[in-house]
């Protein structure tokens, strides 16, 4: 049985990889030429959490009970939890492999903190709160990790939403170089049947520099000093990929995946400003300046719904007998939700043009809805616009992110490339993020659990 290596590139965009820059990426091009490839359809919503865990378990966000980074723990207004590994109940790929006595190296996969034992080695992801905590398994790997990463393994760049672009660019390169270097060290040090590494640099560089290269971005300026930054980083990543796979045994299968893609961000809809304007949300006092929305600001006796900001929006409704101070009678809930969905989908831009928002009912898009799901999950302008949660803005529209400079939104397709060593014809195919886990188990000749919803890629 051969080994399998997955290189995860968070946010890698299929249009850039497969069409725009493939001839500048010789190592990726070689994998494409000798394998299968195509867009990889992400989760709904296409966001790092829950997408990577969905990929590693072949379960959708509703089954997992994660609808974003922060989730409601109960129907109380302020009872939230951060979706870390403590809350992951589904079995991951490395859980299944460990049970079959196969060794795994898991490196930087989101939602793996705090680390759990496995048959192998695990380094947690950028969601590790700090390097002061234990974020490796076994524990002693933490010290060795710093040593082999030039003395300081970097979990994530400190702040990718910044105007200090030179510093951001340097930090992304240093982080990426050290992560690949450390990963290669551990991969070559021991023998692993399965290995996966996730690099966050593409996500950070997309959000930080998209306006400088995309001629469709409203702030694009021809000839700016950062025009080739994203292209050059993809080229650099291709070189790191080449160094990582150049000495692999011939029977090692290589897969490259991303959890979602990226696209230009037109602007932000201030969802709580919109809900106030439409009569759904009332605050105790009008804010005197722009500030972060808090549920403590809300006059619940006059509020039917409130929203969360992010690359998509989650809408929560204030229902009698469900929320502590609910106002929507339960027998009117579905009618009220349908009305709100229709009004969201009719949102216009400042010129009066419909932006084609999509609002989803969780129970209609997931196999199950565990935990406390939002009442609606909303793609504002079909993800051309993001959601800004701030209040006191004075407008429904923003053209900068309210949490710092950000040029890109997430897109629904990531990438999939697989050089398996078999006889594959290649070419694009509508692959699903849920297909990855069953594909890996089938590769290792392990029975695919019934709870996995994807299909093995052949």
């Amino acid at each position: 049985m051969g080994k399998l290596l997955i290189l995860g590139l968070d946010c890698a965009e299929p249009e850039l990889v497969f069409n725009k820059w493939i001839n500048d990426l010789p190592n990726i091009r070689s994998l494409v030429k000798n394998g299968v490839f195509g867009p990889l359809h992400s989760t709904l919503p296409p966001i790092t959490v829950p997408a990577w865990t969905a990929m590693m378990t072949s379960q959708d966000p509703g089954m997992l009970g994660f609808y974003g980074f922060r989730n409601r723990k109960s129907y109380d207004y302020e009872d939230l939890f951060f979706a870390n590994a403590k809350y992951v109940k589904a079995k991951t790929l490395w859980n299944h492999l460990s049970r079959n006595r196969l060794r795994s190296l898991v490196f930087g996969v989101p939602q793996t903190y705090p680390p759990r034992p496995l048959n192998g080695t695990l380094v947690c992801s950028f969601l590790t709160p700090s390097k002061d905590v234990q974020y490796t398994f076994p524990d002693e790997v933490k010290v060795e990790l710093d040593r082999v990463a030039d003395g300081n393994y970097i979990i994530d760049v400190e702040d990718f939403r910044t105007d200090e672009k030179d510093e951001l660019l340097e930090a992304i390169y240093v982080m990426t170089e050290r992560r690949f270097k450390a990963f290669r060290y551990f991969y070559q040090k021991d023998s692993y049947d399965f290995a996966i590494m996730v690099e966050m640099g593409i996500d950070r560089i997309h959000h930080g520099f998209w306006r400088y290269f995309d001629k469709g971005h409203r702030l694009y300026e021809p000839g700016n000093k950062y025009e080739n930054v994203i292209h050059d980083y993809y080229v650099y990543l291709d070189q790191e990929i080449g160094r990582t796979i150049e000495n692999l045994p011939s029977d090692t299968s290589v897969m490259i995946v991303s959890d979602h893609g990226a696209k230009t961000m037109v602007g932000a809809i201030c969802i709580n400003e919109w809900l106030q304007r439409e009569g759904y949300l009332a605050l105790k006092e009008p804010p005197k300046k722009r500030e972060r929305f808090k549920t403590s600001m809300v006059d619940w006796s006059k509020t039917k719904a409130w929203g969360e900001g992010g690359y998509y929006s989650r809408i929560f409704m204030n229902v009698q007998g469900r929320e502590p101070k609910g106002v929507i009678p339960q027998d009117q809930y579905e009618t009220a939700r349908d009305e709100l969905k229709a009004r969201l989908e009719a949102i216009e831009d400042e010129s009066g043009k419909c932006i084609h928002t999509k609002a989803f009912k969780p129970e209609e898009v997931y196999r199950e809805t565990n935990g406390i799901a939002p009442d609606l999950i909303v793609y504002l302008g079909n993800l051309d616009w993001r959601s800004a949660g701030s209040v006191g803005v004075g407008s429904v529209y923003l053209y900068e992110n309210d949490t710092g400079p950000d040029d890109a939104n997430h897109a629904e397709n990531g990438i999939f490339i697989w050089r398996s060593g078999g006889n594959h014809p290649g070419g694009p195919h509508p692959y699903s993020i849920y297909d990855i886990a069953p594909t890996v188990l089938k590769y290792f000749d392990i029975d695919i659990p019934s709870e996995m919803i994807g299909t093995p890629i052949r």
Side-chain angles (χ1 to χ4, degrees):
M1 181 185 301
K3 300 176 185 297
L4 177 59
L5 167 64
I6 297 181
L7 297 173
L9 307 177
D10 192 288
C11 200
E13 164 57 33
E15 172 64 20
L16 301 182
V17 173
F18 297 136
N19 300 325
K20 193 175 180 67
W21 295 331
I22 187 65
N23 290 329
D24 300 332
L25 311 172
N27 295 296
I28 292 176
R29 187 175 70 234
S30 176
L31 294 172
V32 165
K33 184 178 178 182
N34 294 290
V36 292
F37 71 98
L40 187 70
H41 194 67
S42 185
T43 48
L44 190 164
I47 190 166
T48 300
V49 173
W52 283 107
T53 300
M55 190 191 299
M56 296 295 106
T57 63
S58 192
Q59 294 194 20
D60 69 34
M63 299 165 74
L64 294 169
F66 305 125
Y67 306 94
F69 285 83
R70 292 193 312 157
N71 297 267
R72 296 180 81 181
K73 188 178 284 185
S74 71
Y75 283 108
D76 285 345
Y77 300 114
E78 299 181 11
D79 193 13
L80 303 175
F81 72 94
F82 190 85
N84 66 22
K86 288 191 301 184
Y87 299 96
V88 178
K89 307 302 181 190
K91 288 185 173 61
T92 59
L93 268 178
W94 46 93
N95 294 147
H96 292 289
L97 296 173
S98 293
R99 292 186 65 180
N100 285 272
R101 300 183 178 182
L102 296 172
R103 285 176 54 76
S104 298
L105 174 61
V106 179
F107 218 91
V109 178
Q111 217 175 355
T112 49
Y113 176 83
R116 290 175 169 177
L118 76 164
N119 182 18
T121 302
L122 185 145
V123 176
C124 295
S125 73
F126 76 105
L127 296 171
T128 300
S130 81
K131 289 178 65 177
D132 294 331
V133 302
Q134 193 58 47
Y135 65 100
T136 66
F137 178 87
D139 294 355
E140 55 268 27
V141 167
K142 180 178 175 181
V143 175
E144 196 173 13
L145 185 63
D146 270 342
R147 181 178 62 78
V148 300
D150 299 335
N152 182 20
Y153 179 81
I154 298 172
I155 294 173
D156 193 8
V157 294
E158 287 192 5
D159 180 12
F160 64 92
R161 295 193 179 101
T162 174
D163 288 319
E164 302 298 328
K165 299 300 183 184
D166 288 343
E167 288 81 356
L168 173 61
L169 187 59
E170 180 181 2
I172 291 171
Y173 269 92
V174 171
M175 173 184 70
T176 302
E177 180 183 14
R178 292 181 183 179
R179 186 167 3 259
F180 269 96
K181 186 176 182 180
F183 175 76
R184 285 194 290 268
Y185 168 83
F186 283 101
Y187 190 55
Q188 293 163 5
K189 177 186 174 186
D190 207 339
S191 177
Y192 296 101
D193 302 286
F194 170 76
I196 179 169
M197 187 201 86
V198 174
E199 171 54 47
M200 289 301 298
I202 287 187
D203 182 88
R204 294 347 188 186
I205 211 163
H206 281 169
H207 290 300
F209 293 92
W210 194 272
R211 73 176 62 178
Y212 299 103
F213 99 99
D214 185 351
K215 296 179 175 59
H217 196 285
R218 69 183 185 85
L219 296 176
Y220 170 75
E221 295 181 3
N224 71 80
K225 68 179 284 191
Y226 302 115
E227 184 143 13
N228 295 318
V229 158
I230 294 181
H231 166 270
D232 293 348
Y233 181 75
Y234 271 82
V235 171
Y236 169 72
L237 272 181
D238 182 78
Q239 294 167 358
E240 290 285 7
I241 290 168
R243 294 186 193 104
T244 305
I245 66 177
E246 63 184 354
N247 294 318
L248 295 179
S250 59
D251 63 344
T252 303
S253 178
V254 178
M255 192 181 290
I256 298 179
V257 293
S258 64
D259 56 333
H260 55 77
K263 63 195 301 190
T264 282
M265 185 189 300
V266 173
I269 300 295
C270 301
I271 192 65
N272 288 313
E273 295 284 312
W274 183 86
L275 287 166
Q276 287 181 82
R277 190 186 73 181
E278 300 297 313
Y280 283 94
L281 171 64
L283 302 184
K284 295 171 186 170
E285 296 180 5
K288 296 176 181 173
K289 61 180 181 179
R290 184 199 300 182
E291 56 186 296
R292 181 182 171 189
F293 172 78
K294 298 175 185 173
T295 51
S296 59
M297 299 174 172
V298 176
D299 180 348
W300 294 109
S301 68
K302 300 176 183 175
T303 290
K304 296 179 181 176
W306 73 102
E308 289 279 350
Y311 296 119
Y312 63 105
S313 187
R314 286 171 293 157
I315 302 291
F316 303 100
M317 300 178 71
N318 195 26
V319 181
Q320 287 180 0
R322 195 184 76 172
E323 272 73 17
K325 298 177 182 177
V327 297
I328 301 173
Q330 292 209 0
D331 62 355
Q332 296 176 26
Y333 167 71
E334 205 54 51
T335 300
R337 187 164 64 148
D338 284 339
E339 177 187 281
L340 178 53
K341 180 177 187 294
R343 293 173 73 169
L344 284 162
E345 291 181 338
I347 287 179
E348 299 172 338
D349 64 15
E350 287 193 280
S351 68
K353 182 180 177 183
C354 179
I355 63 173
H356 303 294
T357 292
K358 295 180 180 178
F360 303 94
K361 296 180 179 179
E363 73 274 16
E364 293 180 352
V365 294
Y366 300 134
R367 304 286 180 97
E368 302 170 15
T369 50
N370 293 316
I372 309 295
D375 293 287
L376 292 170
I377 296 172
V378 184
Y379 289 3
L380 292 159
N382 195 24
L383 297 174
D384 290 334
W385 296 69
R386 67 166 286 146
S387 170
S390 296
V391 291
V393 180
S395 172
V396 168
Y397 307 97
L398 271 181
Y399 293 96
E400 290 288 352
N401 184 7
D402 61 342
T403 57
D406 196 336
D407 303 341
N409 208 353
H410 289 186
E412 293 174 273
N413 287 327
I415 66 169
F416 170 73
I417 305 167
W418 186 25
R419 186 193 70 189
S420 72
N423 182 25
H424 293 296
H429 191 279
Y431 302 112
S432 164
I433 200 168
Y434 304 114
D435 296 341
I436 302 302
T439 299
V440 173
L441 293 189
K442 184 174 177 58
Y443 179 83
F444 287 109
D445 200 22
I446 295 173
D447 290 341
I448 299 167
S450 59
E451 63 267 25
M452 287 191 171
I453 63 175
T455 302
I457 299 167
R458 302 177 186 277

